[in-house]
Amino acid sequence: MGIPHILAIPFPAQGHVIPLMELCQCLVNQGCKVTFVNTDYNHKRVINAMSSPSHIGDQIHMVSIPDGMEPWEDRNDIGKLLKATQRVMRAKLEELITMINESEDYNITCVLADETLGWALEAAEKMNIQRAVFWPAAAAVLALSFSIPKLIDDGIINTKGVLLKNQMIQLAPMMPTTKTENLVWACIGDATTQRIVFETLSRNNQTVKLADWILCNSAIDLEPAAFALAPEIIPIGPMLASTRLGISSGNFWAEDLTCLEWLDQQLPSSVIYIAFGSFTVFDKIQFHELALGLEISKRPFLWVVREDIGDKTNHAYPDGFLDRVKSRGKIVNWAPQQKVLGHPSIAFFLTHCGWNSTLEGISNGVPFLCWPYFADQFLNESYICDVWNVGERFERDEESGIIKQGEIKKKVEQVVGDEKFKSNALNLKELAMNNVMQGGQSDIVFNNFIDWLQS
Ligand code: UDP
């Protein structure tokens, strides 16, 4: 029996690369060989952002293929990115696999592809290679995607994904709820993007059947109702660096480690950590309102302001803001988030509710204040506020649609003042993390997956 050689390929976005790389490091630790395929564009970013390339380079073979976009094109335009990758990457992937199989000691024995990349599964099937899918978001989101035919039958959407009814959706009791207008494809970009995302989801509902495993970065105890509804989705998470080496890999931006020293100087459970992941952008008015909300909340804060969080004029701070908050505010371009959330000085997490951020908060027993931006984030907000009861949501101003500074101050006080959020968060942490302990449900799945890879 040879060594399993896994070719892992994420969707080319930050929240997909980090958790798949985490899973791959666990596979390497079990004696598998892994070739990790980024797009050329992301490969450069990951390599440039690494503080010590060797810790990953020694273990995982990092390679890249083109994504079909020009260097200057906007990769935050999900519709364009999906189209380009579908057009170009399949052929490049097949060439890469052929090249590896001709030149390396160990042939590729399994393609482990992000669920979003149905074409990678088709390529693997054509080349007669085993297939597994990795889903880096909540099981509820994939279950919702699998329910598209039912949503059409129920007259909620048409066959193109266009909304026919405005209502709340809950697939089963104890599952999160979402307004139809916040369905994953309905709250992304313009109408063209929405159509492309919907078509991709619908197509992937078929291609996912080509895989023997649908591994989800979640835990049965976090989403029992979703896993009961869609038992073909198998929980293997939370996959987090904190449970292994503590070093998270695959960042697109270099981590600013000075914030850890700054956190060391703060009182326990005093700091608001504010971060919106890799996609969220702000307009100028909302950005100012957030800054002023933090200012009038009068608490220490660590705020991640990516250089591309707005256009250059949009993320200019309000006049005098930086001066006024300098004694208790720290702003960085990109934080070592998993370490930050594990720091004892963190009080709670003001988050866009990306699934990785959600898991990272849970695994550290941190309460949340939710500010979802798009895609699956509204559903994750519902998990946090309605199902797990570990955080609060914001109300937008009815007229302007803005989250105002007064609302920010009010909700900050509510999250800090209500002890149930912290105690629920600590309980949820234990519940979730037991799954990845030896003998936990996700650990059993991981071991079964390894056995399958080796068989
Ligand atoms: N992240 C980070 N530093 C930051 C902000 C985010 O390392 O300053 C990481 C975060 O830990 C998470 C990922 O980036 O693993 C973001 O994924 P998520 O699903 O939360 O959001 P997305 O970027 O996909 O919207």
Side-chain angles (χ1 to χ4, degrees), residues 259-271 302 336-347 364 366 422:
C259 60
L260 295 174
E261 289 152 32
W262 183 85
L263 286 174
D264 287 342
Q265 289 152 23
Q266 309 303 316
L267 293 174
S269 303
S270 67
V271 176
L302 170 59
Q337 180 162 302
Q338 299 200 35
K339 289 207 176 103
V340 165
L341 286 165
H343 197 283
S345 71
I346 296 298
N364 287 295
V366 172
K422 185 67 190 175

Side-chain angles (χ1 to χ4, degrees), residues 145 251 347:
S145 199
N251 286 282

Side-chain angles (χ1 to χ4, degrees), residues 293-446:
L294 293 174
E295 184 179 345
I296 62 172
S297 297
K298 295 200 163 51
R299 289 183 173 273
F301 65 83
L302 170 59
W303 184 10
V304 179
V305 181
R306 288 185 342 264
E307 59 209 0
D308 61 348
I309 205 159
D311 65 35
K312 284 200 175 59
T313 49
N314 277 350
H315 86 277
Y317 297 93
D319 275 349
F321 168 80
L322 291 176
D323 235 17
R324 292 193 299 273
V325 298
K326 68 171 183 271
S327 64
R328 62 183 171 84
K330 170 91 178 159
I331 296 173
V332 294
N333 180 50
W334 193 251
Q337 180 162 302
Q338 299 200 35
K339 289 207 176 103
V340 165
L341 286 165
H343 197 283
S345 71
I346 296 298
F348 71 89
F349 186 9
L350 199 169
T351 172
H352 72 308
C353 307
W355 184 247
N356 294 291
S357 295
T358 304
L359 289 179
E360 289 158 9
I362 290 172
S363 69
N364 287 295
V366 172
F368 297 89
L369 185 47
C370 302
W371 188 313
Y373 173 66
F374 77 168
D376 59 334
Q377 296 155 11
F378 296 92
L379 209 75
N380 301 340
E381 175 190 57
S382 176
Y383 260 134
I384 291 169
C385 300
D386 308 324
V387 180
W388 303 321
N389 215 346
V390 290
E392 273 285 355
R393 48 165 63 83
F394 285 116
E395 300 295 334
R396 289 180 178 269
D397 181 69
E398 270 184 26
E399 238 171 72
S400 61
I402 292 286
I403 299 174
K404 293 273 179 95
Q405 51 183 293
E407 168 69 4
I408 295 169
K409 177 173 188 279
K410 182 173 134 196
K411 292 291 161 66
V412 164
E413 281 164 11
Q414 274 178 24
V415 174
V416 174
D418 193 337
E419 281 181 12
K420 85 166 178 268
F421 291 129
K422 185 67 190 175
S423 66
N424 288 350
L426 289 173
N427 289 338
L428 191 66
K429 167 185 174 175
E430 204 184 323
L431 199 65
M433 299 317 283
N434 280 342
N435 286 270
V436 283
M437 301 289 171
Q438 202 177 359
Q441 275 298 320
S442 296
D443 181 56
I444 293 172
V445 167
F446 178 73

Side-chain angles (χ1 to χ4, degrees), residues 237-259:
M239 278 282 154
L240 297 167
S242 50
T243 30
R244 210 177 28 79
L245 290 173
I247 306 172
S248 109
S249 308
N251 286 282
F252 290 179
W253 292 269
E255 296 171 322
D256 183 339
L257 301 176
T258 61
C259 60

Side-chain angles (χ1 to χ4, degrees), residues 73-357:
E73 282 186 286
D74 178 12
R75 284 162 175 82
N76 283 359
D77 183 333
I78 301 276
K80 253 196 190 160
L81 183 62
L82 277 170
K83 274 285 176 214
T85 53
Q86 287 158 8
R87 204 176 50 241
V88 168
M89 286 181 79
R90 176 176 170 169
K92 297 289 174 192
L93 182 69
E94 289 182 18
E95 280 168 27
L96 176 70
I97 294 175
T98 305
M99 197 264 290
I100 291 173
N101 287 348
E102 282 170 4
S103 62
E104 292 195 19
D105 292 345
Y106 297 104
N107 281 5
I108 302 290
T109 53
C110 175
V111 167
L112 172 58
D114 195 286
E115 199 269 351
T116 331
L117 308 182
W119 47 261
L121 299 170
E122 288 170 345
E125 187 202 29
K126 181 181 143 203
M127 301 179 88
N128 210 10
I129 301 172
Q130 285 185 311
R131 300 160 296 277
V133 146
F134 181 65
W135 176 251
V141 178
L142 192 52
L144 195 61
S145 199
F146 290 168
S147 302
I148 284 175
K150 180 166 174 5
L151 297 179
I152 295 172
D153 284 350
D154 292 349
I156 293 170
I157 55 172
N158 70 15
T159 51
K160 295 191 160 47
V162 176
L163 296 187
L164 301 175
K165 285 183 192 164
N166 279 323
Q167 64 179 73
M168 292 302 279
I169 295 205
Q170 185 181 36
L171 291 180
M174 304 306 291
M175 283 189 69
T177 55
T178 182
K179 290 182 191 160
T180 41
E181 70 200 47
N182 289 334
L183 285 166
V184 172
W185 63 92
C187 62
I188 285 190
D190 59 11
T192 309
T193 306
Q194 292 176 10
R195 183 179 47 75
I196 295 169
V197 173
F198 180 78
E199 284 168 5
T200 306
L201 293 177
S202 303
R203 206 168 34 248
N204 291 342
N205 283 347
Q206 301 310 315
T207 49
V208 76
K209 294 176 187 155
L210 297 174
D212 282 311
W213 295 78
I214 306 174
L215 299 169
C216 175
N217 192 17
S218 183
I220 186 96
D221 291 314
L222 285 176
E223 306 189 76
F227 287 111
L229 186 72
E232 64 274 43
I233 309 174
I234 316 282
I236 199 171
M239 278 282 154
L240 297 167
S242 50
T243 30
R244 210 177 28 79
L245 290 173
I247 306 172
S248 109
S249 308
N251 286 282
F252 290 179
W253 292 269
E255 296 171 322
D256 183 339
L257 301 176
T258 61
C259 60
L260 295 174
E261 289 152 32
W262 183 85
L263 286 174
D264 287 342
Q265 289 152 23
Q266 309 303 316
L267 293 174
S269 303
S270 67
V271 176
I272 313 174
Y273 174 56
I274 307 118
F276 297 94
S278 58
F279 271 99
T280 311
V281 286
F282 279 87
D283 68 24
K284 187 173 176 179
I285 297 175
Q286 186 61 86
F287 187 79
H288 274 201
E289 218 50 42
L290 171 55
L292 296 172
L294 293 174
E295 184 179 345
I296 62 172
S297 297
K298 295 200 163 51
R299 289 183 173 273
F301 65 83
L302 170 59
W303 184 10
V304 179
V305 181
R306 288 185 342 264
E307 59 209 0
D308 61 348
I309 205 159
D311 65 35
K312 284 200 175 59
T313 49
N314 277 350
H315 86 277
Y317 297 93
D319 275 349
F321 168 80
L322 291 176
D323 235 17
R324 292 193 299 273
V325 298
K326 68 171 183 271
S327 64
R328 62 183 171 84
K330 170 91 178 159
I331 296 173
V332 294
N333 180 50
W334 193 251
Q337 180 162 302
Q338 299 200 35
K339 289 207 176 103
V340 165
L341 286 165
H343 197 283
S345 71
I346 296 298
F348 71 89
F349 186 9
L350 199 169
T351 172
H352 72 308
C353 307
W355 184 247
N356 294 291
S357 295

